[in-house]
Amino acid sequence: MAGLAVMAATAWAAAPGDAASPLAPPSPPSPPSPPAAMVAPAGPTATASSPRADTRYVILAVEDRGEPLSGAGGSPRGDYRRMAGYAGSARASALSEALAREYRLHEEAAWTIAPLNLRCMLFALSGDDDVDALLARVRGDARVKLAQPLNEFETLAGGPQGVEAAMRPGASSASSGASTKPSAASASSAAAAAAPLSATSGSPYNDPYFGLQKGFQQMSAAALQQVSVGARVKVAVIDTGVDARHPDLSGQVARQRDYVSGGGALVEGVPERHGTEVMGLIAARANNRQGIVGLAPGAVITSYRACWTEARVERPGPGTARCNSFTLAQALGAAIADGADVINLSLGGPSDPLLTRLARHAQARGAVLVAAAPPERLGKGFPSEVPGALVVASAGDASEAEADGWLVAPGRAVLTTVPNGGYDMDTGSSLAAAHVTGVVALLRAADPVADAPRLRRALLGSMSATGGINACAAARTLGVSGLRCDGDTAATAAR
């Protein structure tokens, strides 16, 4: 959706270039500058108006059984070119140099994925060499353990303008009880954030836009939040940057790392739309008299910026967000090293051997991978084709989801957070996946031994005739006690 729906009442100091009025619609985030850690300026971080040089890059990997470095696992801690020795053992480094000479390649970056015993190199091709021809030759080289193109991925939200039912908050405020100007967030302690939420008169929440969160209500999430808010569950959101200063996200994002332009450095935040939307659905503070309610407000959530926003050239509005194998591999490796329990990937693209290996390793360590279902134009690829991943389609696409055994969650006209303290509706399987990630965090907090297969069976079994998952019913299937699911009171009265 193009415009900002509602701005928070809290006034923010205008940053350079910001609109003077806190009620003005925010401009889409500017495309990021090329990474200092060397991805060529017109390469992996190309903007919509730049030459698409991505196809001139390949990723190769060789065996590296050298000593693992601090923070290894594919998660760099700064500019590669300033980090002597980070890229692995001397033997693997020498092998990389030999491959570069023999195949006329130029190494742009290298990093070690210690758990996979691999040294990965991002190479630029020379002259008029063809990517497919080069890969065919390299794949026959016994020294090379993996060879693939630098693939591109995109986030899966951003419905067409005028998407059905995409009403603005405030348009129906009389019936919903929502205010067009929520009051400023009240302070809350960390202990309160980690405690199950108790109901108040008339509604379980005092957040003014809760009445517009139809998907939250359809999933019976409030009933499950009476016993779990996701406390201590580590959630990794691999996406664009997040506006962590948003009043509904203040204090909710444990850390943010930037793999697009920061080399994995800790940052205060890069306020981009897609990541902020996903984060709001998972983590927005509850009962703070502000905005909306997140599904797992007690979870420990880290943002890994691996995607960047491109300027929209065909029509005004939020830009498309893109990622590539290079940025995603670093972010996914870092999430593994950080011990993520749940990994949200609201994106899609082609098959990718390196990313699939990393995803499978994360699963082997107990992480639950939640993936957005790809639209038909993209077809199946990463991450939707990773075995064992919880693939999530938007409600309304249930026929395709049923055929593929996918989960279904709300993904149309979903109200969530957007940068600069605002709220808006958006559509896409990205949002459906975020809903499931939040529910999975609640379930894993309530039942820490529930693994991905059990969670998938419970969530599939909870899906209603309309196609959506039911958080409370899934928890009951897992044996979570103390639940009062929607309809229990009516059923008791009927008996």
Side-chain angles (χ1 to χ4, degrees), residues 373-376 380 393 396-406 408:
E376 186 175 353
K380 295 178 183 177
D397 301 328
S399 57
E400 180 183 359
E402 184 177 356
D404 290 297
W406 294 343
V408 174

Side-chain angles (χ1 to χ4, degrees), residues 134-153:
L134 171 74
L135 289 174
R137 298 199 310 273
V138 172
R139 284 167 179 156
D141 192 322
R143 298 170 295 177
V144 177
K145 303 305 178 184
L146 179 147
Q148 66 170 71
L150 179 69
N151 291 314
E152 186 175 85
F153 302 81

Side-chain angles (χ1 to χ4, degrees), residues 10-41:
T10 305
W12 292 98
D18 283 351
S21 168
L23 297 181
S27 300
S30 301
S33 57
M38 192 54 261
V39 181

